[in-house]
Amino acid sequence: MREIFRRQPRFTASDDEDTRSQVPDDLWVKCPRCGELAYTKEHLQTHRVCQHCGYHFRLGARERIALLADAGSFVEWDTDLATDDPLGFVVDGESYADKARKTTAKSGMAEAVVSGQVEIDGQPLALVVTDFSFMGASMGSVYGEKLTRAAERAVAGCTPLLTVSASGGARMQEGLFSLMQMAKTTAALTRLSASRLPFISILTDPTMGGVALLTDPCYGGVTASYATVADIIVAEPGALVGFAGPRVIEQTIRQKLPEGFQTAEFLLEHGLIDRVVPRSALKPTIGLLMTIYQQAAGCLAPPMATADEVADD
């Protein structure tokens, strides 16, 4: 009779080991802010936003395009552009070209930028999206060239330009070639502004890179150039946005920075950005802004110019 109430193990040791080995490693996602777990499938359905605390995980360029674009509307530009090694840069026996090839194999990205024609709520735009998995989305010559061409096509097609930025700063392996992208991209955006076409910039975590602060290695980059000269600047909640990192700034000015410094909410309070928009509301927000633009312009934008048409001009 006592045997009935005796607790028996559910699995033998070998059975338990087999069961654990069948559980996928990527079944759960842990939030770095609140520590809560979420099923990966549910995590993807919320576009990588924590359902418990609202923490916004980073998105790749393709995921970002899928989030914003109308289904089947994206047409990619400049897929033939690839990273070169203008300086023959080598560190610890590894060349910049070799590092770029390894990064491409690991990330699946040919460069840190994806650009193309897209529709959002049926309205055409030129779109430029960065991917942090490729060398921290640092801005090099190909990055700058793709952004510049996108701005030129926007002018030719009489359509707005939308950029989604996440970057660690300048592409140090390209030296002066990287630094010159600041002037190159802003010059193209000046022509866009002269054509009275709107430029909307979305800042995501992290968007860094600015003018040197003594020991700061990011001597020129995204935040110091195109990302903060837009007509409308929005950011995702909690995004880190700045020129140099907080540690570098504190070492330079020898002062303690205020709490929340460089977060999207801090920058909104101090006037650098126009609005903090949750990821789920980004597409309808952009669609609304485009509707307002179209009403102000008094007509719908014509179809965008093709790559060949821009090249002929």
Side-chain angles (χ1 to χ4, degrees), residues 21-276:
S21 66
Q22 293 173 4
V23 177
D25 293 334
D26 58 351
L27 182 63
W28 298 90
V29 175
K30 184 177 181 180
C31 177
R33 177 190 289 172
C34 68
E36 292 289 339
L37 294 175
Y39 281 116
T40 299
K41 184 177 180 180
E42 295 178 352
H43 180 65
L44 295 176
Q45 289 174 345
T46 61
H47 303 291
R48 299 189 185 278
V49 176
C50 178
Q51 299 180 59
H52 300 278
C53 69
Y55 176 78
H56 284 50
F57 288 72
R58 294 173 185 173
L59 286 182
R62 303 293 177 182
E63 292 176 300
R64 184 71 64 175
I65 293 169
L67 171 69
L68 295 174
D70 293 349
S73 68
F74 179 67
V75 179
E76 189 171 354
W77 292 328
D78 301 319
T79 57
D80 58 326
L81 295 183
T83 300
D84 199 1
D85 187 4
L87 303 180
F89 194 90
V90 178
V91 174
D92 295 332
E94 183 181 41
S95 69
Y96 170 42
D98 289 338
K99 182 176 178 61
R101 282 192 289 269
K102 289 180 180 178
T103 303
T104 296
K106 183 178 180 180
S107 66
M109 300 290 298
E111 240 296 334
V113 170
V114 177
S115 63
Q117 174 183 343
V118 72
E119 289 185 4
I120 297 179
D121 289 345
Q123 301 175 86
L125 297 93
L127 176 66
V128 178
V129 183
T130 63
D131 196 307
F132 199 80
S133 66
F134 190 96
M135 294 190 177
S138 51
M139 186 162 71
S141 54
V142 173
Y143 186 135
E145 179 66 17
K146 295 183 79 168
L147 176 58
T148 299
R149 291 189 185 187
E152 291 172 345
R153 289 181 179 124
V155 173
C158 193
T159 55
L161 173 66
L162 172 66
T163 63
V164 185
S165 303
S167 178
R171 186 76 58 83
M172 302 303 297
Q173 295 90 338
E174 295 187 19
L176 187 61
F177 291 93
S178 176
L179 180 61
M180 288 304 298
Q181 304 312 307
M182 297 176 64
K184 179 177 180 176
T185 54
T186 50
L189 294 172
T190 299
R191 294 192 290 272
L192 184 78
S193 178
S195 300
R196 301 183 66 81
L197 294 168
F199 169 33
I200 301 174
S201 174
I202 299 176
L203 309 180
T204 69
D205 183 66
T207 302
M208 303 295 290
V211 181
L213 291 175
L214 300 182
T215 58
D216 178 19
C218 297
Y219 55 82
V222 172
T223 313
S225 55
Y226 76 88
T228 52
V229 299
D231 300 300
I232 300 173
I233 306 173
V234 301
E236 290 189 331
L240 181 68
V241 180
F243 291 89
R247 178 181 56 81
V248 173
I249 296 176
E250 287 184 341
Q251 290 177 348
T252 303
I253 66 176
R254 292 181 171 81
Q255 294 182 24
K256 186 69 177 176
L257 297 173
E259 186 177 355
F261 180 73
Q262 291 185 324
T263 62
E265 292 75 13
F266 183 92
L267 298 179
L268 175 64
E269 182 181 348
H270 290 78
L272 180 64
I273 64 177
D274 298 300
R275 192 171 183 179
V276 176

